[in-house]
Amino acid sequence: MAKIQMKTPLVEMDGDEMTRIIWQMIKDKLILPHVDLKTEYYDLGLEYREKTGDKVTVESAEATKKYGVAVKCATITPNAARVKEYNLTTMWKSPNGTIRAILDGTVFRSPIIVDGIEPYVKNWVKPIAIARHAYGDIYKASECRAPAGSKAEIVVTDKDGNETRVPIMNFEGDGIVMGMHNLDASIEGFARSCFNYALASKLDLWFSAKDTISKTYDHRFKDIFAEIYENEYKEKFEAAGIEYFYTLIDDAVARVIRSDGGFIWACKNYDGDVMSDMLATAFGSLAMMTSVLVSPDGKYEYEAAHGTVQRHYYKHLKGERTSTNSVATIFAWSGALRKRGELDEIPELCDYADRLEAACLKTIADGIMTGDLYSISKLENKKSVTTEEFLDAVAERI
Ligand code: NAP
Ligand code: MG
């Protein structure tokens, strides 16, 4: 059979440790036999980041801006131990942080649902995607303790030196105080990313915050979303048969639990941090969570939500058996190839992506799974296989 031809290259960002091993296996066993794979390759493995003074990370993000679609392997974010282990000249920044800063995006995370792995919430039959705003609020705040007898105010000085003062508290007893901010431009980018992602995935979009209590701060988020929706997206949503609505975060939580899934839930930074961990756990496993960064101008970077699975890598290096789940990394590839297929109008490529994903799900439904899923699967005929055996079983089913 002739291999599927591509038009535009994918930006390929290789990574570290066990996921780097899996990366190569996925290409060799699952993709190259079917697709005449075209990529522009960037090695984001820590050794090459060190060698290039991290320039390779910046170049890979710029290539993503140019070509529009990237697929990324998990990478090490160095800490003190890694600086020693890899003999680094400096503690390089998180590659995801660097890429996000260049693409200015929103991160969408979505669980992969499969027969035999049941979510803790019984009525969730379709995935729930979280869209997390990745800028500001408590992550970029200043805070201090306020001793008894002190007075705290918000002071905003404009460019001409005029002051606006808002009282916070006259402290009778000891207390604490925090100042945080966000930017209209960042919220607008967040909103557009969410609307674009909803259109691309044909899913309803919910946005929740606490505007009843936070009448200026959270209300600004609500207003920006509403304005952009009315002016730029309403007609497109109606044509696609999908819905956007805003609701209070507490109402959203109650509705999410009662729902059968199948929508995107946009959250402010902190809400998204907490709710995405809650959803990932409630759906079963971090190794079954996809992640895609979408920029406001519609560039896509696909990855797995988990890290480099360091503990398994050390076992692999010692020649021991590993049973590492490759599903989220495979879905990063299928997501990127499908998007490339859509943009370049190559239906066979989209079809291949569908078959690749279906093959993963079929493998697990047939009882063939890695250790992480084996421990939670309800299937009676389940069997725990190695990293490589799982990929071979998927390859047979494409
Ligand atoms: P991790 O790689 O996600 O692994 C944490 C644990 O979760 C593993 O030890 C394993 O548990 C389980 N796990 C995660 N993914 C799995 C998979 N695919 N299959 C089976 N089990 C899986 O997180 P970490 O150990 O905290 O971080 C390791 C490195 O990854 C760090 O250097 C960190 O900087 C990096 N990281 C990168 C990204 C990214 O690039 N997006 C994200 C997070 C972390 P058991 O050991 O119990 O089997
Ligand atoms: Mg978190």
Side-chain angles (χ1 to χ4, degrees), residues 72 74-77 82 96 287 303 306-309 311-312 325:
K72 180 179 171 292
T75 46
I76 293 169
T77 298
R82 299 298 200 165
N96 285 337
E303 60 168 349
H306 60 78
T308 59
V309 213
R311 208 179 62 81
H312 296 207
N325 190 337

Side-chain angles (χ1 to χ4, degrees), residues 109 132 139 270 272-277:
R109 294 210 154 159
R132 173 184 170 187
Y139 302 88
Y270 172 77
D273 186 355
V274 177
M275 293 305 166
S276 66
D277 278 8

